[in-house]
Amino acid sequence: MNHSRSFNLVIGLILCVLGAVLVLLPENIYDLILDLALFVCFFNTLYQLWQYISKKDISDLLFGLLSLSFVVILSRWQSLPEWFIRVTFGVYLICSAIVTGIQLVLDLEDSFLSRLTGLLFLTVVYGWLGISLLFSPDVDTALLMQLFGIYFVIMGFRFFMDALPGGGRNYRWKRGRRIMLPPALSAILPDWFLKQINSSMKKGEPVILREQKTSAVPQLQVMVHVGPKGFQKIGHISFAYKGVVYSYGNYDSDSFRLNGTIGDGVFFNVAVEDYIPNMMQVENNTIFEYGILLDKEQEKAVEKELHALRDNAYRWYTRIERADGYDQFSRFEMDYPSRLHFRSGAKMYKFKSGKFRTYWALGDNCAAFTDVALGALGADVLNIRGIISPGTYLDFLQTEYLRPSSPVITRTIHTMTGQDPLPDSI
């Protein structure tokens, strides 16, 4: 734990210093970065050509010519890097405007009106800033460097906050303004965790599959799933309360829109002891589980939210249930809801109205659903609107577990690579 806090302090210090320099000396830093890039590319060109002469490997020649082309481009068109940064950031902001705009339309379709003003504001601001960066000649290099500097300082303070040990015995989460990792970094975090574990196991290094800070039994478990390919690498998140799993997703393929990123929101309930083995053995997932200890008041808060979910839901039957095809499982095996129901007994539900009636992969997704439980405890992951992935929560839970007095008291890795510690995790 001390090692992790030291790491956060060092990263926070580096980011703050770098950010301050970018804010105070933007043009100097841009010129320095450009000179360093030219220096590195020039010597890399010489190195790759020397490698080609020595080994006669055509790939060394190709990389050398590529590096040489960067030298020519950077020396003749020094404004190109600034243009690339400006356009990239502008495209990102326009994509963010599209994401919030789609959520706005979905909320209108579902008559969920409580956040329309905020979504409209973000859509307009993101779109205006994105278009300005793409087409306005007034955005110069110095301003871009200063904007990045401000962002680095903010991220530096975030790492400093993560290094704090917490607020003593009565430490509780409070809704605030948490600075999150960039969406692209959060998206790859579950896969990075999985690769680290697999790498350690292949080397024969010890991997602790279960850790706990106290002997108490947590009532709430949050589970981040990650698989070996495709969208499984980005991950999925669900939670279990007192032995019952709640998982939300786009499970009805008949309702898919926009290449499966939009559809009817569906959640299911299943016993955790049936769910986790199925996810490992059949779905080939590794699960990072964090156990959270609740007091009586927090239990009531979570149960109130779960009661509201159940009151706003109706039973939805999978294909295998509708066809009564339990003796013909092979017909339905490719349909995930049917497969899950057959193997674990999971029961599916759809929402009558409101926030989760429609699933949107970059908006009201599994991470937003998990906030139903954690938000009742004061967790602040979703307080700033953005693209929230399971990796965002994995980052939050890992940071909280490392705080000595945090309510996150257990960390368990369920994996087929090592011995599964399931009996101790409930």
Side-chain angles (χ1 to χ4, degrees):
M1 293 186 188
N2 290 332
H3 173 74
S4 177
R5 288 203 293 270
S6 299
F7 174 80
N8 284 332
L9 286 172
V10 171
I11 295 298
L13 180 62
I14 292 172
L15 287 173
C16 284
V17 171
L18 178 59
V21 173
L22 285 172
V23 171
L24 297 174
L25 303 169
E27 294 181 353
N28 304 67
I29 291 299
Y30 178 78
D31 292 338
L32 177 61
I33 293 173
L34 192 61
D35 290 341
L36 285 174
L38 279 168
F39 178 82
V40 170
C41 288
F42 176 73
F43 278 96
N44 185 61
T45 300
L46 297 179
Y47 173 75
Q48 294 293 343
L49 292 177
W50 180 79
Q51 287 286 95
Y52 171 70
I53 293 171
S54 302
K55 300 179 180 179
K56 303 299 182 183
D57 189 338
I58 191 64
S59 64
D60 291 324
L61 178 60
L62 292 176
F63 280 119
L65 294 174
L66 180 63
S67 189
L68 179 61
S69 67
F70 277 116
V71 173
V72 174
I73 291 171
L74 290 176
S75 59
R76 296 195 61 182
W77 295 283
Q78 296 193 1
S79 62
L80 185 62
E82 178 271 330
W83 175 87
F84 178 78
I85 294 171
R86 178 164 56 85
V87 169
T88 301
F89 194 38
V91 169
Y92 167 76
L93 288 172
I94 289 176
C95 289
S96 297
I98 293 172
V99 167
T100 54
I102 289 174
Q103 187 65 68
L104 175 67
V105 172
L106 294 177
D107 282 4
L108 285 170
E109 288 181 355
D110 294 338
S111 299
F112 183 60
L113 308 178
S114 63
R115 59 183 180 184
L116 290 186
T117 303
L119 287 172
L120 179 61
F121 173 78
L122 287 174
T123 301
V124 171
V125 170
Y126 285 152
W128 175 73
L129 289 175
I131 292 172
S132 297
L133 284 172
L134 286 178
F135 301 108
S136 175
D138 298 329
V139 181
D140 60 11
T141 304
L143 179 58
L144 278 176
M145 292 297 102
Q146 288 175 324
L147 290 174
F148 279 110
I150 293 171
Y151 179 73
F152 287 153
V153 170
I154 292 173
M155 286 302 301
F157 276 109
R158 171 251 158 87
F159 278 96
F160 281 138
M161 294 300 294
D162 286 347
L164 296 178
R169 291 185 177 181
N170 297 322
Y171 170 56
R172 293 169 69 94
W173 292 331
K174 295 179 181 179
R175 279 299 204 192
R177 294 192 176 275
R178 178 178 173 81
I179 306 300
M180 297 177 294
L181 292 176
L185 185 58
S186 295
I188 65 173
L189 196 60
D191 185 52
W192 183 82
F193 266 50
L194 179 60
K195 286 179 178 178
Q196 292 295 109
I197 291 170
N198 289 340
S199 176
S200 296
M201 288 182 170
K202 286 179 181 179
K203 295 176 183 177
E205 298 173 353
V207 175
I208 301 175
L209 296 181
R210 177 172 173 80
E211 298 178 85
Q212 60 186 67
K213 297 189 289 191
T214 74
S215 59
V217 178
Q219 301 94 325
L220 180 68
Q221 289 91 26
V222 179
M223 296 173 284
V224 178
H225 313 56
V226 57
K229 58 185 179 181
F231 283 109
Q232 289 183 327
K233 290 175 175 283
I234 297 175
H236 172 71
I237 186 167
S238 60
F239 66 90
Y241 180 68
K242 294 187 175 180
V244 177
V245 173
Y246 295 79
S247 182
Y248 173 79
N250 192 14
Y251 300 127
D252 182 5
S253 58
D254 293 332
S255 69
F256 283 1
R257 290 182 280 166
L258 201 62
N259 199 31
T261 59
I262 297 175
D264 291 349
V266 178
F267 78 93
F268 62 78
N269 293 152
V270 63
V272 71
E273 62 266 21
D274 296 326
Y275 178 70
I276 292 180
N278 179 72
M279 293 307 297
M280 291 192 302
Q281 297 165 11
V282 179
E283 307 301 334
N284 198 24
N285 278 197
T286 293
I287 299 176
F288 300 96
E289 175 199 303
Y290 294 84
I292 303 170
L293 186 65
L294 312 181
D295 58 29
K296 294 297 182 182
E297 180 183 343
Q298 291 172 324
E299 287 185 27
K300 290 179 181 178
V302 172
E303 288 167 4
K304 179 181 177 181
E305 296 294 336
L306 295 179
H307 184 73
L309 287 177
R310 288 190 289 266
D311 281 352
N312 189 35
Y314 62 93
R315 184 79 163 84
W316 176 71
Y317 295 93
T318 62
R319 292 178 180 177
I320 195 171
E321 291 176 278
R322 295 195 297 266
D324 193 20
Y326 296 101
D327 58 346
Q328 304 174 51
F329 174 65
S330 59
R331 285 178 52 202
F332 305 94
E333 191 171 5
M334 297 305 294
D335 180 53
Y336 173 71
S338 296
R339 185 168 72 244
L340 180 66
H341 171 76
F342 180 81
R343 295 187 182 278
S344 69
K347 294 182 178 180
M348 308 276 171
Y349 300 87
K350 284 189 177 183
F351 288 96
K352 302 172 187 175
S353 61
K355 179 178 180 180
F356 296 111
R357 185 173 180 272
T358 303
Y359 173 94
W360 166 221
L362 301 179
D364 286 337
N365 56 13
C366 57
F369 184 78
T370 298
D371 192 59
V372 168
L374 289 187
L377 309 179
D380 59 357
V381 175
L382 300 187
N383 200 49
I384 296 178
R385 182 71 193 175
I387 301 172
I388 307 299
S389 68
T392 305
Y393 254 121
L394 182 59
D395 169 52
F396 170 76
L397 292 165
Q398 178 67 14
T399 299
E400 287 298 313
Y401 176 74
L402 296 176
R403 297 186 193 274
S405 52
S406 165
V408 182
I409 62 170
T410 66
R411 179 177 60 188
T412 307
I413 303 170
H414 301 280
T415 175
M416 291 299 293
T417 308
Q419 182 179 359
D420 176 42
L422 176 63
D424 297 326
S425 66
I426 306 303

